[in-house]
Amino acid sequence: MSDAVPLLPFVRRDRAMRWAVGIGAGWLAAFVVLLVIAQIHPSTAIVDLPYLVPIVVAVGLSFAAAWKTSGRTRIAWVLFAVSNLLWLIGEVIWVFYTYVFQRGPPAVSVADFFYLSSYVLAVPAILVAIGSSGHLRHIRGLLDAGLLALGVGTIGWQVAIAPSLPHAPRLADAVAFAYPLFGVATVTLLAAVGLAGRHRLPAWAGLVGAGFAVAGVTDAVYAYTIAKQNIDSNWINIGWQVEAVLLGLGAVAAIRRPEPETRQRDRVRDLTAVPLVIAAMSAAGLILADRLDGGPITGGTLAILLALFAGVLARQLLIIRDRTRLATQLRAALREQERLAITDGLTGVYNRRFFQEMLRIEAERADRADSPLSVILLDLDEFKKVNDGYGHPAGDTVLAQIADRIRGSVRAADIVARYGGEEFGCLLPGVDEEVAIEIAEQIRQSIGRLEVAVGQGRSVKLTSSLGVATAGTRGGHSLDDPDGLVNEADSALYRAKATGRNRVVAAGMLVDPVYADPDLPIGLVWLADRIDAQISVHEHSTAVSRWSLLVAERLGLDMAALRRVGAAGRLHDIGKVMVADSVLRKALPLTAREWEDLRRHPDESARLLTELGGRPDLAAVAAAHHEWFDGTGYPRGLAGAQIPIEARVIAVTDAWAAMLADRPFAPTLTVDEARVEIERGRGTQFDPAVADAFLALVTAGMIGALAEPARA
């Protein structure tokens, strides 16, 4: 929005405006000549009929300006046009009295009604055109204009008019005095708006303001001549002719350059007290004048004093309300700026900068209170496919809903932030590693259940990888290095990504043996994934490996056993490659021959691990994962401690994964139903200690649902 153009440069640059100014000046010169002729050869026709010409032109141009402009400027020009039309009607009535009745109108006539009505519309027109925005400021502008008009008018009456009246004021005197009052009101309104509204005016507004200023002065002179009973001079008409010319030029300026609405500019000094000062001076002058007369305060004086007092009181109340509103808006704006400074605009969670600041604060607080502090870093798996396949707006929608899921999974006191593009961070004061892993698992499952609509009836489902790090506990990271805590969580997140995604990894926890054991044959890992995909759409060997590590850690097994249980869990079913696919996917009960083929797969897994993988240390574990604790399992009927502890762990996690999966030969069980089956097999199929450790992890929420491939 450009600033308003000053009047003189605008006139110099615009050819049509130069012509309009020239015509207006020429008309005023011609009208002066007519007045001189009328003095030499007295005739009302010489002056009265030409007098109407600029007013008619101003009316036409005002309606044209209302048609050409828009917004608040159009509303103002509609009011100006109607105001000028009322003025023209009053003048026509005046001429009608002069030529039809061969005399002037009576002291109070219908023409006065139209004259004064034109002023009534001019005041709101000025407020609409150049008044400040907001109803309160419009009302305050009206009060300022009223106080100034009443104050200046009162002073003018006491000083110039009242001493000249030889009799008690008549209705005609009041009507005549109403003209300068309205004139002063319009002029002072311009001043009040300029003082209180602090606006830069467009060129047309300056011309209109000048026209009303001339009218105010002319009306004041007219009122004085009436008071002196000297109404024969036609020279006063020059003032109203100037007013009509200026209003017409203002309309031309608005048509030629429909400038934007007025803009606020900086106020150098506060002059809004001027109306109050003038009102106070007027009240003091009235009281002093009545006291000098030696009599009591008259009813008229009392009415004016009450009006001044009520106006001042109302104005101050509006100022207080206006300033209160501004203060409230300022506080709200400051709060919004503070929020924007620490908030991610897309997701509504905190930004990375705030997360890092709060990390240092919470680390110092945890150090003083000797309490733990945990960090979770989360990254959406294969999020690039969403942006590439559905567009960045769809990606933004996904990120916003993911942020909502994360916030719904943590406490109100926890800090959730967008740490990067599709990466989020959670700061958990007072939370140890075990609880942090549980919270991270809840977040992972919540995101895995979320399907986000991306338009045209399509939706996308994503998974996430999470890294957890804890400081302030025995064996945890030091609180003296909060940035190192984030680095540990980031490393855990990387390991979660590197080991298959859609999982939670803690900084001190072993993960999938593909990452933890570089000697694990990658070809056998591929074979395990291929077999899992043939049987079910859900993961299997990755979940068995992940859960087996958690159970082994809870049982307190040593590092070597942890590595074996994780690696063997990942490859325990590779022997099923020797079983016919029709048997693996058969929904009906198996025949005796088919059962015999299926029960050979533990030995086949051990053989492949030894002969192809060169890992005989894992062969014994894979061969025994279907042995039962009571000795009724297969392939060798081992019991109790004869079964390697790693195989006893895998027996539980393998059964749990099979019960939760969607497989053709068995219905999918709920978590509660699967828990009942584990409890029923405690002491028969499963080692009681292993079963108890596993169910404790389920209760703690660390054993999550099976993952599915991300799909749209």
Side-chain angles (χ1 to χ4, degrees):
M1 183 181 291
S2 62
D3 290 337
V5 176
L7 178 58
L8 291 179
F10 171 52
V11 172
R12 285 196 297 265
R13 288 201 302 265
D14 190 275
R15 182 178 181 183
M17 195 66 195
R18 290 198 304 271
W19 273 97
V21 171
I23 293 172
W27 172 258
L28 292 176
F31 190 78
V32 171
V33 173
L34 291 175
L35 288 176
V36 172
I37 295 174
Q39 291 292 324
I40 299 173
H41 302 285
S43 173
T44 56
I46 294 176
V47 175
D48 289 344
L49 293 179
Y51 175 84
L52 297 176
V53 172
I55 303 175
V56 172
V57 174
V59 171
L61 291 174
S62 298
F63 278 104
W67 176 264
K68 290 292 186 179
T69 54
S70 61
R72 195 162 62 183
T73 303
R74 168 175 285 180
I75 298 173
W77 274 108
V78 168
L79 293 174
F80 282 133
V82 176
S83 173
N84 293 337
L85 180 61
L86 292 173
W87 178 22
L88 176 61
I89 293 172
E91 295 292 356
V92 171
I93 293 173
W94 181 283
V95 173
F96 179 80
Y97 273 108
T98 301
Y99 284 93
V100 174
F101 296 106
Q102 298 298 314
R103 59 180 174 83
V108 179
S109 68
V110 178
D112 293 306
F113 168 78
F114 286 100
Y115 290 148
L116 296 177
S117 297
S118 69
Y119 274 119
V120 170
L121 284 179
V123 171
I126 293 172
L127 280 176
V128 172
I130 60 177
S132 56
S133 60
H135 297 295
L136 287 180
R137 295 197 177 191
H138 279 177
I139 296 172
R140 200 177 82 186
L142 283 171
L143 282 174
D144 285 344
L147 286 172
L148 283 167
L150 188 57
V152 173
T154 300
I155 294 174
W157 179 276
Q158 291 292 334
V159 173
I161 306 299
S164 303
L165 294 176
H167 51 75
R170 302 166 300 171
L171 177 60
D173 297 325
V175 171
F177 191 62
Y179 288 105
L181 267 184
F182 274 112
V184 170
T186 54
V187 174
T188 53
L189 178 57
L190 292 169
V193 169
L195 295 175
R198 300 167 289 159
H199 286 268
R200 181 181 291 112
L201 304 181
W204 66 262
L207 289 166
V208 170
F212 281 113
V214 172
V217 174
T218 305
D219 287 332
V221 174
Y222 176 72
Y224 182 77
T225 60
I226 290 179
K228 290 291 186 178
Q229 297 183 349
N230 178 20
I231 58 174
D232 295 331
S233 177
N234 286 326
W235 291 97
I236 299 174
N237 291 330
I238 294 176
W240 291 311
Q241 290 287 286
V242 172
E243 176 193 7
V245 169
L246 289 173
L247 292 178
L249 291 176
V252 173
I255 294 170
R256 295 295 298 171
R257 184 176 177 82
E259 294 170 285
E261 296 174 2
T262 54
R263 299 180 61 193
Q264 275 198 339
R265 53 180 169 82
D266 294 335
R267 182 174 57 194
V268 177
R269 58 175 68 105
D270 190 353
L271 299 176
T272 57
V274 171
L276 302 180
V277 173
I278 294 179
M281 291 173 58
S282 304
L286 279 174
I287 296 173
L288 181 61
D290 275 1
R291 300 307 298 169
L292 290 176
D293 288 342
I297 297 177
T298 63
T301 301
L302 182 60
I304 294 176
L305 288 174
L306 289 175
L308 288 171
F309 175 76
V312 171
L313 180 61
R315 186 184 185 281
Q316 292 305 106
L317 290 175
L318 285 175
I319 290 176
I320 292 173
R321 183 175 177 183
D322 195 22
R323 289 179 177 175
T324 301
R325 178 180 57 83
L326 289 175
T328 302
Q329 290 177 346
L330 179 60
R331 287 194 296 269
L334 289 175
R335 287 195 297 268
E336 180 65 10
Q337 288 297 319
E338 292 174 354
R339 186 189 69 81
L340 292 175
I342 63 175
T343 305
D344 175 62
L346 175 62
T347 61
V349 298
Y350 293 112
N351 56 27
R352 180 170 182 165
R353 178 180 176 183
F354 182 76
F355 181 89
Q356 292 172 331
E357 291 177 356
M358 291 304 299
L359 174 65
R360 288 189 287 272
I361 293 173
E362 292 296 343
E364 294 175 0
R365 184 178 300 165
D367 193 27
R368 291 193 302 269
D370 193 23
S371 62
L373 176 66
S374 292
V375 170
I376 299 174
L377 290 184
L378 176 151
D379 190 80
L380 297 177
D381 297 330
E382 299 181 331
F383 181 74
K384 186 176 182 296
K385 293 181 178 179
V386 177
N387 284 332
D388 292 345
Y390 304 101
H392 287 278
D396 292 345
T397 301
V398 171
L399 289 174
Q401 295 201 29
I402 291 294
D404 289 339
R405 285 302 179 102
I406 297 173
R407 279 185 296 203
S409 302
V410 301
R411 304 168 302 177
D414 296 332
I415 304 296
V416 178
R418 187 180 179 193
Y419 207 71
E422 63 268 16
E423 189 173 358
F424 294 85
C426 301
L427 187 61
L428 313 176
V431 173
D432 59 22
E433 183 181 66
E434 184 175 354
V435 176
I437 293 173
E438 179 181 348
I439 293 173
E441 182 62 28
Q442 290 174 354
I443 294 173
R444 186 190 70 82
Q445 293 186 35
S446 178
I447 293 174
R449 292 191 297 266
L450 176 64
E451 289 194 16
V452 183
V454 292
Q456 299 180 354
R458 297 177 299 179
S459 62
V460 64
K461 186 174 182 181
L462 294 173
T463 60
S464 58
S465 300
L466 301 94
V468 179
T470 302
T473 58
R474 186 176 63 183
H477 189 86
S478 172
L479 287 167
D480 295 333
D481 182 20
D483 291 334
L485 181 64
V486 174
N487 291 336
E488 285 196 357
D490 190 56
S491 297
L493 172 61
Y494 172 77
R495 286 190 286 162
K497 286 283 190 182
T499 55
R501 305 184 184 91
N502 192 29
R503 64 190 61 199
V504 175
V505 172
M509 184 178 72
L510 284 178
V511 293
D512 192 301
V514 171
Y515 180 82
D517 190 342
D519 295 329
L520 198 64
I522 193 64
L524 297 185
V525 173
W526 174 85
L527 183 59
D529 290 340
R530 181 174 177 273
I531 292 169
D532 289 345
Q534 286 179 327
I535 299 175
S536 173
V537 297
H538 293 91
E539 64 173 339
H540 182 76
S541 63
T542 52
V544 170
S545 175
R546 182 170 68 250
W547 296 337
S548 296
L549 281 169
L550 292 175
V551 175
E553 285 182 327
R554 191 173 187 88
L555 292 172
L557 302 185
D558 58 29
M559 185 62 67
L562 287 173
R563 292 172 69 89
R564 282 193 300 273
V565 76
R570 187 71 169 89
L571 304 177
H572 69 287
D573 269 346
I574 59 174
K576 288 181 178 178
V577 72
M578 307 303 295
V579 181
D581 185 61
S582 59
V583 174
L584 293 177
R585 298 191 56 80
K586 187 175 182 179
L588 298 176
L590 300 179
T591 64
R593 178 61 182 270
E594 290 170 339
W595 264 115
E596 183 179 349
D597 290 342
L598 181 63
R599 288 182 177 183
R600 287 206 306 268
H601 83 269
D603 282 335
E604 292 296 333
S605 297
R607 184 180 64 81
L608 292 173
L609 283 167
T610 302
E611 296 178 0
L612 297 181
R615 296 298 302 270
D617 57 322
L618 303 180
V621 177
H625 76 275
H626 274 297
E627 301 287 359
W628 284 30
F629 192 73
D630 64 359
T632 60
Y634 64 88
R636 292 178 177 77
L638 302 179
Q642 295 177 320
I643 307 171
I645 183 59
E646 299 90 345
R648 282 178 267 160
V649 170
I650 293 173
V652 176
T653 58
D654 179 56
W656 182 268
M659 287 186 287
L660 295 188
D662 181 16
R663 295 192 172 196
F665 48 80
T668 302
L669 301 185
T670 65
V671 171
D672 290 339
E673 291 170 339
R675 174 189 282 273
V676 170
E677 292 299 321
I678 296 295
E679 291 172 345
R680 182 181 293 120
R682 184 180 181 277
T684 54
Q685 182 177 356
F686 309 120
D687 183 339
V690 174
D692 292 343
F694 179 82
L695 293 177
L697 291 171
V698 173
T699 301
M702 297 177 66
I703 304 296
L706 292 171
E708 298 179 44
R711 67 178 187 274

